[in-house]
Amino acid sequence: MNSQIKLSTIIVTLVSAFLVYASFILGDSENYLFPRLISATIAILTIMLWFEKGEADKSTNFKDLMPGIAIASAFILLLKILGFYLASMIVFFTLVMYYTKPTESKDFWRVLLIKLGVAFVFTFALYGLFTLLLKVHTPEGLF
Amino acid sequence: MKIINITKVALLAVASLMLLPAQADYPEKPIGVMVAYGPGGATDFQARIATLASGKADLIGQPIYILNKPGAGGRTGWNWFASEASQDGYMLGAYNVPHFIAQSIVFDTKYNINNLEPIGNWGADPAVLIVGKDSPFNTVGELLAHAEANPGAVTISGAGKFVGHHIAFLQFAKASGANLTYIPASGGVDALRMVKAGETVAGFNNLSDSARSASDLKILAVADLTRHDYLPDVPTLMESGVDVDDSSVNFRGLMVPSGTPQDVVDYLASKVPAMFNEKKTQGKMKSTNSPSRVMSRDEVISMWSERQAYLTELLAGLK
Amino acid sequence: MEFLNYFDNVFTVYHIALLVGGTFAGIILGALPGLSPTMSVALLIPFTFHMKPESGLILLGAMYTATVAGGAISAILVNVPGAPANIATALDGHKMAQNGKAKNALHYCFISSFVGGVFGVFILIFFTPPLAALSLKFMSTELFWVAILGITIIATLDSKSVIKGLLSGLFGLMLATIGEHPTNAVERFVFTEHLESGVHIVVGLIGLFAMPQVWNLLENFYAKKNQVFSATGDATLIESFKLVFSKLKALSIGSIIGSIIGIIPGAGGQIAGIVAYDQSKKVSSNRENYGKGEPEAIIAAESANNSMVGPSLIPLLTLSIPGSPTAAVLLGGLLIHGIFPGHDIFTKNPEVIWTFIDSLIIAQILMLVIGLFLSRHSKWIMKVPDNYMAVGILLLAVFGTYSIQNNYSDVLIMFTLGTLMYFGSKAGFSPVPVVLGLILGTMTEEKFLLGNLIGNAKGSSFQHFTSGTINIVLISLCIASIVYGVYSSRKSKKN
């Protein structure tokens, strides 16, 4: 068993332990019959998982992934404050600016302008689709 | 210095604009109506029909759009409405009495009738007692006689717990003294299916939906004070000898969150009943089999508090 | 042959324009995550408000038909199914796209959707009365066994490890218990107010499929040249038609299973694709290639999806009992226009209903033509650079999620669940059983509790669940499915 399988198995074990705890301790027997059945089965399977010889996990390239998760998380939290459309434009622009391939054009201002333009057009398309066409009312936020 | 002066003037202008009573020319933009159920459901499409005429100049004068916030049997939408909806009169909500009052009594909700202000009522859909078309029972009396001989064996479906159907069931069981079993389905459509398929012995369901499916059903009684126009031959439960009043009738109407300026509330209260009564709207209500009952703000206020008091008593000890 | 008399109502300029517009928009909307058939039809209903009943229904029907097929486009091209119905399509469709055969996969998808769809509409035209009676026979206990039958295929669906497959499925079942108790209305596992309305199936679907795709694109951004594939396949239309019609077994399994599932009331429609996928895998001679880009898998899944559409209207039109979640929304669309479902609907409103049904056939044809036309241009999506693709999927996922219930909490749930799933998939867990668990969880629990209540009132709950022809058939199928699953996993271990 390599260390990553161990880690993921430990996480699964912890999650299932919590589920078993939550359904047996927090709930009454009438309403929690199903969660109890499921969580008990999950617990048994987790024990079996400890003894299963599986393939190695895929490794994670956190260096490239984490900035993306950070930007996207910030976006999700800012959605309601800034309003959906403004936040979308900002996150679009930030993500495509941060993730730039070395092969892209070296002309910084040109790239910036293009990306800003695409971010604007994409956001506007979202506005057209959701607000104008489908009449979905997103939170307005500041603007 | 000049620039600072201009800034000052601009700031003052903005500040005075904000101080001006915003409702002076209310309404100046489209108004939303929050519906705590998904699109296509009865509350949703009745809300759309009832607010059709809002754009007319002598009525509200602005179009109304619907905002669906379904979830947790309506609690998600109503909780949001009481705690987060804007209090400037640009977000109204649709209520379902007795359901939303019953939920606020039984559960720990963010809303209750004290932090909401009714505007007007557009519809009233009583619960009816139904059995399948092949059922051996033709009257309430026959059904109750069977229940007496077989305690617990009479199953009655309804659209879930704490909705009008459930209230009607509780009243029916209490008044008749019979031992009946309530089957809380996941919605009115499924509850109706159970009766049509003969899965349950009987059911409480909406008068409008049952009247539409009359060829698959026998409608035994109406849980209201008077007979209904749609079903003139069907007796009330009281006529059938069971003392059940109109507490389970499903009233639908509009409300605003408390904190909405009084003149906005007054404006809406004066215009909304006329909007519901508009000729085309009433025609559309009729052609879609949606029972209409227009009530003013004052009538709804007293109806709400009556229900609140009665349901608190009925649901005590039930959860 | 009464239905033949109403085709001229469909062929008016206005109605054909509605059909073309509705089909085109439906395919595009269906391809966007979150705008599932149910959502799209729901959003469209207010638009039909001012139309004549038959015009409104034609538009809704075209939308229903096209969104079901459109959901396969994103499933194939970016591995994000547009709706729960398209999960099975993603399994092999995306593999085909990765192998440089996106266009072929899209061709198979639209052709088999067309075949299944037309089959389903003909079932609706010719077999409505007997099937409506059959549909009424599916009560709580039968529906419970249908759900269990779905659960029995979870373990072997898309996982190398049976234990991990089962764990993923159970995790999905557990997610389904969050929120309101199905019969008692009390709240369970609502640790924060964001969980109040539980995990909506489509919210879960978007999170579990779209977010991992975003993270995957960003994580490997610098490592690979461009993740999306250079070639999109060289299929000609004739070759694609020939191939689809040579896979008669998959095509007929899909169409028949889809039709059967369509008439079963409730959440059934969403699992048509996956059940057909599983069954065709069991009888296929290319079993080993399932999950690696097997055309038969796409054909079975997509023909099932679309053949479900027609039959799901049978209980809806005659009994006002919807055969799928989308049909449930369509019920509102009917009522708004004063069309009341019932046995007499064909005699009371023949004009409206037959025009509507005829338009469904035309919608299938248009769906095929427009779909095949769009397949030719799939390469444009393939050329989008990874960074734009990632943020595009992210934004569409957020907007799609929000529009389902106008609820910000859903966005948080979608994001969290998807991020967890991404790391889970690294450890060998698959999102497919999780979604299936999420779909079947509420159905299983609710039908069990209701059946139990009714059974107890009748005397014996156990007897209630195990008597009746359909129950016995379903129980046998469940046992057969489990036995087969164990047998085949033993066999594959030996090899």
Side-chain angles (χ1 to χ4, degrees):
Chain A
M1 206 188 248
N2 69 29
S3 63
Q4 273 189 334
I5 291 197
K6 254 184 204 155
L7 183 71
S8 60
T9 315
I10 287 172
I11 293 172
V12 174
T13 310
L14 287 177
V15 170
S16 61
F18 174 73
L19 289 177
V20 172
Y21 165 77
S23 56
F24 279 88
I25 308 297
L26 303 179
D28 56 289
S29 62
E30 191 201 342
N31 291 324
Y32 282 78
L33 174 68
F34 249 70
R36 281 180 187 185
L37 276 176
I38 299 166
S39 59
T41 323
I42 291 181
I44 295 167
L45 285 169
T46 331
I47 297 169
M48 289 167 71
L49 190 67
W50 274 94
F51 298 101
E52 195 190 44
K53 283 189 206 117
E55 293 167 35
D57 291 10
K58 292 173 198 145
S59 62
T60 307
N61 172 9
F62 282 104
K63 196 177 126 278
D64 291 339
L65 177 62
M66 272 311 160
I69 294 192
I71 295 171
S73 307
F75 160 63
I76 299 287
L77 295 175
L78 286 175
L79 270 176
K80 257 181 125 174
I81 304 168
L82 293 181
F84 268 46
Y85 292 107
L86 182 65
S88 297
M89 207 158 98
I90 294 172
V91 74
F92 194 108
F93 180 67
T94 318
L95 265 180
V96 291
M97 280 306 280
Y98 183 86
Y99 286 90
T100 307
K101 285 213 167 127
T103 49
E104 281 183 43
S105 164
K106 295 282 182 295
D107 185 345
F108 177 76
W109 290 106
R110 200 181 119 91
V111 170
L112 185 114
L113 270 181
I114 291 176
K115 291 186 169 173
L116 205 57
V118 177
F120 182 78
V121 169
F122 190 82
T123 312
F124 197 76
L126 282 179
Y127 178 77
L129 176 66
F130 284 94
T131 298
L132 297 182
L133 202 67
L134 300 175
K135 314 271 183 216
V136 173
H137 291 264
T138 59
E140 284 161 12
L142 286 178
F143 300 99
Chain B
M1 285 313 271
K2 209 174 175 188
I3 295 171
I4 292 175
N5 274 336
I6 292 171
T7 327
K8 260 187 189 166
V9 171
L11 275 176
L12 272 173
V14 170
S16 57
L17 268 177
M18 287 166 88
L19 284 174
L20 269 178
Q23 54 273 26
D25 21 50
Y26 174 87
E28 54 187 1
K29 60 176 184 185
I31 299 170
V33 168
M34 188 285 302
V35 170
Y37 298 97
T43 307
D44 174 74
F45 84 70
Q46 287 190 15
R48 288 178 199 273
I49 294 171
T51 57
L52 261 184
S54 70
K56 283 195 174 175
D58 55 333
L59 296 171
I60 293 181
Q62 284 288 345
I64 281 183
Y65 66 88
I66 303 289
L67 182 71
N68 300 90
K69 278 194 184 279
R75 292 204 289 278
T76 305
W78 290 316
N79 277 340
W80 173 87
F81 187 69
S83 60
E84 283 186 62
S86 61
Q87 302 176 345
D88 53 6
Y90 288 105
M91 185 52 72
L92 314 183
Y95 62 75
N96 290 58
V97 173
H99 181 195
F100 95 119
I101 295 180
Q103 283 208 345
S104 74
I105 293 169
V106 179
F107 299 112
D108 181 23
T109 56
K110 286 189 197 164
Y111 73 89
N112 54 58
I113 64 164
N114 299 320
N115 59 18
L116 299 167
E117 292 290 336
I119 298 293
N121 190 82
W122 79 69
D125 200 351
V128 290
L129 182 60
I130 50 176
V131 293
K133 73 168 177 237
D134 301 325
S135 165
F137 311 112
N138 293 309
T139 63
V140 176
E142 289 173 22
L143 184 71
L144 285 174
H146 181 73
E148 213 148 283
N150 307 283
V154 171
T155 46
I156 298 187
S157 70
K161 284 248 168 113
F162 313 115
V163 302
H165 307 160
H166 188 208
I167 308 295
F169 170 84
L170 292 172
Q171 288 188 297
F172 183 64
K174 200 172 162 190
S176 67
N179 185 351
L180 309 163
T181 307
Y182 184 66
I183 308 293
S186 61
V189 174
D190 204 42
L192 202 56
R193 178 192 64 75
M194 289 182 155
V195 180
K196 286 179 185 173
E199 187 171 0
T200 55
V201 175
F204 274 108
N205 218 297
N206 300 333
L207 181 134
S208 55
D209 295 319
S210 309
R212 254 192 317 256
S213 306
S215 59
D216 295 327
L217 298 168
K218 282 190 265 187
I219 303 176
L220 303 186
V222 184
D224 201 348
L225 298 175
T226 54
R227 292 189 180 201
H228 199 273
D229 295 346
Y230 291 4
L231 301 165
D233 303 329
V234 177
T236 62
L237 276 171
M238 275 180 183
E239 288 177 56
S240 312
V242 187
D243 189 23
V244 173
D245 63 4
D246 61 345
S247 298
S248 65
V249 174
N250 191 350
F251 286 93
R252 296 189 174 100
L254 296 179
M255 58 187 178
V256 290
S258 296
T260 306
Q262 191 56 45
D263 43 355
V264 170
V265 175
D266 292 341
Y267 179 83
L268 287 169
S270 68
K271 300 284 185 184
V272 162
M275 172 178 81
F276 293 154
N277 270 327
E278 197 261 349
K279 215 175 131 208
K280 247 182 150 176
T281 305
Q282 284 297 317
K284 191 97 183 160
M285 291 286 279
K286 201 158 179 162
S287 74
T288 55
N289 221 0
S290 316
S292 157
R293 193 183 300 177
V294 178
M295 289 159 64
S296 70
R297 171 172 152 80
D298 293 334
E299 290 173 297
V300 182
I301 289 177
S302 58
M303 185 261 287
W304 276 17
S305 54
E306 258 174 50
R307 292 292 181 276
Q308 173 81 19
Y310 176 76
L311 291 173
T312 310
E313 187 196 318
L314 183 76
L315 296 172
L318 239 191
K319 201 180 164 164
Chain C
M1 292 288 153
E2 201 186 348
F3 76 101
L4 292 173
N5 303 339
Y6 294 92
F7 270 107
D8 32 327
N9 286 353
V10 184
F11 288 109
T12 62
V13 176
Y14 178 52
H15 284 166
I16 290 294
L18 279 182
L19 274 169
V20 173
T23 309
F24 187 78
I27 291 179
I28 304 285
L29 289 183
L32 301 176
L35 297 167
S36 62
T38 316
M39 257 309 286
S40 307
V41 171
L43 287 172
L44 202 66
I45 284 183
F47 290 89
T48 66
F49 215 73
H50 301 285
M51 296 181 181
K52 282 202 299 185
E54 59 267 36
S55 310
L57 285 178
I58 283 176
L59 186 56
L60 293 175
M63 195 56 127
Y64 188 6
T65 305
T67 39
V68 173
I73 298 183
S74 48
I76 289 170
L77 297 183
V78 278
N79 202 17
V80 179
N86 307 104
I87 303 166
T89 316
L91 288 176
D92 284 73
H94 189 61
K95 286 277 156 48
M96 274 192 79
Q98 283 177 326
N99 299 340
K101 287 186 171 162
K103 202 171 106 187
N104 306 37
L106 287 169
H107 278 178
Y108 305 152
C109 148
F110 283 106
I111 298 169
S112 47
S113 290
F114 168 74
V115 175
V118 172
F119 180 83
V121 178
F122 277 109
I123 297 272
L124 168 65
I125 292 174
F126 293 110
F127 298 101
T128 288
L131 288 180
L134 178 66
S135 162
L136 215 44
K137 294 231 158 59
F138 280 85
M139 303 187 210
S140 302
T141 55
E142 284 84 1
L143 294 172
F144 169 74
W145 289 116
V146 169
I148 293 292
L149 186 60
I151 290 177
T152 61
I153 67 176
I154 281 182
T156 50
L157 204 55
D158 179 41
S159 256
K160 285 178 190 112
S161 144
V162 173
I163 294 178
K164 283 178 180 169
L166 277 175
L167 270 174
S168 318
L170 287 164
F171 180 66
L173 289 174
M174 204 66 194
L175 285 179
T177 64
I178 297 174
E180 202 182 32
H181 184 280
T183 58
N184 280 349
V186 297
E187 286 176 345
R188 293 185 300 189
F189 303 117
V190 180
F191 301 115
T192 108
E193 60 171 353
H194 294 299
L195 289 172
E196 189 180 38
S197 34
V199 181
H200 189 282
I201 290 169
V202 183
V203 171
L205 176 87
I206 302 175
L208 295 169
F209 282 88
M211 288 316 297
Q213 197 60 15
V214 175
W215 301 144
N216 181 32
L217 286 167
L218 293 182
E219 184 191 337
N220 301 313
F221 184 73
Y222 301 104
K224 289 178 194 163
K225 255 193 183 160
N226 209 349
Q227 287 230 35
V228 283
F229 356 95
S230 43
T232 54
D234 47 4
T236 65
L237 274 179
I238 298 170
E239 280 167 14
S240 300
F241 270 102
K242 270 189 188 156
L243 185 125
V244 171
F245 286 100
S246 71
K247 308 283 184 193
L248 273 180
K249 202 156 67 174
L251 206 53
S252 42
I253 286 181
S255 303
I256 292 169
I257 288 183
S259 303
I260 296 174
I261 288 178
I263 61 164
I264 298 175
Q270 298 176 316
I271 58 170
I274 224 153
V275 173
Y277 176 91
D278 183 68
Q279 293 303 319
S280 79
K281 181 180 176 182
K282 281 174 182 164
V283 299
S284 170
S285 47
N286 296 340
R287 203 171 308 147
E288 274 70 40
N289 292 334
Y290 273 63
K292 296 174 191 155
E294 170 59 44
E296 273 183 41
I298 302 176
I299 295 170
E302 278 303 310
S303 55
N305 272 344
N306 267 52
S307 71
M308 176 273 295
V309 171
S312 74
L313 300 174
I314 292 178
L316 174 75
L317 293 177
T318 53
L319 300 158
S320 93
I321 295 167
S324 72
T326 317
V329 176
L330 216 52
L331 176 60
L334 286 169
L335 298 182
I336 278 184
H337 289 292
I339 310 277
F340 304 142
H343 294 294
D344 51 356
I345 192 167
F346 289 95
T347 46
K348 224 162 56 184
N349 306 91
E351 184 103 11
V352 175
I353 291 305
W354 283 119
T355 308
F356 170 53
I357 292 176
D358 288 349
S359 80
L360 286 177
I361 297 181
I362 310 297
Q364 301 286 355
I365 297 170
L366 287 170
M367 181 267 296
L368 177 69
V369 175
I370 297 173
L372 289 177
F373 170 77
L374 288 175
S375 310
R376 280 174 55 193
H377 298 280
S378 58
K379 58 175 181 289
W380 297 110
I381 296 209
M382 306 277 123
K383 280 186 181 160
V384 176
D386 285 350
N387 45 354
Y388 288 89
M389 190 61 137
V391 73
I393 297 176
L394 173 69
L395 291 184
L396 279 172
V398 166
F399 275 81
T401 304
Y402 183 82
S403 64
I404 297 167
Q405 307 193 90
N406 292 302
N407 195 337
Y408 174 70
S409 305
D410 286 345
V411 178
L412 293 177
I413 294 173
M414 185 277 296
F415 190 80
T416 315
L417 206 56
T419 309
L420 284 178
M421 187 68 240
Y422 184 59
F423 292 108
S425 68
K426 299 242 168 195
F429 293 95
S430 160
V432 180
V434 183
V435 176
L436 198 58
L438 186 57
I439 294 173
L440 295 171
T442 315
M443 184 173 168
T444 316
E445 182 173 16
E446 182 199 317
K447 299 307 171 193
F448 174 77
L449 294 170
L450 293 175
N452 193 35
L453 275 174
I454 295 168
N456 281 336
K458 282 187 176 168
S460 159
S461 180
F462 180 76
Q463 206 192 340
H464 186 57
F465 273 96
T466 51
S467 58
T469 323
I470 301 181
N471 276 333
I472 292 169
V473 169
L474 286 168
I475 294 171
S476 323
L477 285 175
C478 290
I479 295 170
S481 174
I482 294 171
V483 170
Y484 183 85
V486 174
Y487 165 77
S488 69
S489 74
R490 282 269 168 88
K491 204 172 134 193
S492 68
K493 242 177 212 167
K494 266 183 199 160
N495 291 344

